Amino acid sequence: MRKQLLSPFVPFLMFFLYSSTTVAQTPSPAPSGPTNITAILEKAGQFTTLIRLMKSTQEADQINTQLNNSNQGLTVFAPPDNAFANLKAGALNSLSDQQKVQLVQFHIIPNFLSMSSFQTVSNPLRTQAGNSADGEFPLNVTTSGNQVNITTGVNTATVANTIFTDGQLVVYQVDQVLLPLDLFGTAAAPAPAPSKPDKDVPAKAPAGSKEDASADASGATIATVSVSLVLIAAISLKL
């Protein structure tokens, strides 16, 4: 009898469990109203530093305006607070206002990239920071199975998970701040110019040593004595 009473509820329970699991794996929905990148990050939590940078550089307003006034897609790579904490001390404070803008823009791709798109995307990716072909802001993607790695020329970050996606905007959490080569790369020191050979300098004749001077003096004395003896002998013969 109990089995007969429970049997109609079994499919309902299975559907409820499946739905709960599916919702847990789905990225968090955006807050109600127009798309707002900072609101999405605030709801996800642990993105205080990135939010502050987006607001101070006014990139947040530009992203929101673009999303709400056009159909162009965007992909945002979002490093959490602990990724910023792992930077060298003073790394952010040493940047100018323009460089902070470029740092935020380096985390934004001006088109929508789904997770599967990373398998076939062409490198280098073009970010809003500038032309990657000049070697200033290169961003390359490599994949290994389901893992997506992003290389900047300075460091390599891994896509941890999808924070939000709605078909126009997708926000991925990355485990490191993406450091542009133009801002954080160390320029290679130029090779030293080959040294020019020294000009040939004619060797000076060595100055006479003290021994040579003594020998010359002795020879002059002997010659003087010899001449004196000859004169004396000549005078004796005349006498």
Side-chain angles (χ1 to χ4, degrees):
M1 183 66 179
R2 288 182 178 178
K3 292 182 179 181
Q4 292 177 348
L5 290 173
L6 291 175
S7 57
F9 294 98
V10 171
F12 174 76
L13 290 173
M14 292 179 66
F15 175 77
F16 176 77
L17 292 172
Y18 173 78
S19 299
S20 300
T21 303
T22 304
V23 170
Q25 295 176 347
T26 303
S28 302
S32 58
T35 304
N36 187 308
I37 183 63
T38 56
I40 291 171
L41 294 172
E42 285 171 355
K43 187 171 183 179
Q46 67 179 347
F47 295 97
T48 305
T49 306
L50 180 59
I51 292 170
R52 185 172 66 250
L53 275 173
M54 284 186 165
K55 288 182 176 180
S56 65
T57 59
Q58 299 183 348
E59 283 300 310
D61 293 338
Q62 293 187 24
I63 292 173
N64 295 336
T65 299
Q66 180 175 331
L67 291 172
N68 293 304
N69 293 282
S70 73
N71 295 323
Q72 183 178 353
L74 286 177
T75 300
V76 176
F77 297 113
D81 292 334
N82 61 357
F84 282 98
N86 289 332
L87 294 177
K88 291 181 179 180
L92 290 182
N93 293 333
S94 65
L95 299 178
S96 66
D97 291 341
Q98 178 59 31
Q99 289 174 330
K100 288 178 182 178
V101 170
Q102 292 174 321
L103 177 62
V104 175
Q105 291 177 337
F106 192 58
H107 290 73
I108 304 170
I109 308 296
N111 55 290
F112 181 89
L113 290 177
S114 64
M115 203 66 173
S116 59
S117 299
F118 290 121
Q119 302 285 342
T120 57
V121 73
S122 298
N123 287 317
L125 297 181
R126 182 172 63 89
T127 72
Q128 288 189 342
N131 188 359
S132 59
D134 293 338
E136 298 175 350
F137 298 94
L139 196 67
N140 295 285
V141 171
T142 58
T143 59
S144 178
N146 293 326
Q147 180 173 309
V148 178
N149 296 322
I150 305 170
T151 303
T152 71
V154 177
N155 65 339
T156 300
T158 300
V159 175
N161 56 61
T162 304
I163 299 172
F164 170 81
T165 182
D166 64 356
Q168 183 185 13
L169 170 68
V170 58
V171 183
Y172 296 110
Q173 179 176 333
V174 290
D175 63 350
Q176 293 188 47
V177 180
L178 304 180
L179 303 178
L181 186 63
D182 189 56
L183 302 182
F184 294 91
T186 303
S195 57
K196 296 181 179 179
D198 296 334
K199 294 181 178 179
D200 294 334
V201 178
K204 293 182 180 180
S209 62
K210 292 182 179 180
E211 293 181 356
D212 294 338
S214 300
D216 292 341
S218 299
T221 301
I222 293 171
T224 301
V225 171
S226 298
V227 172
S228 300
L229 291 175
V230 170
L231 289 174
I232 294 170
I235 293 171
S236 299
L237 289 174
K238 287 182 180 182
L239 294 175

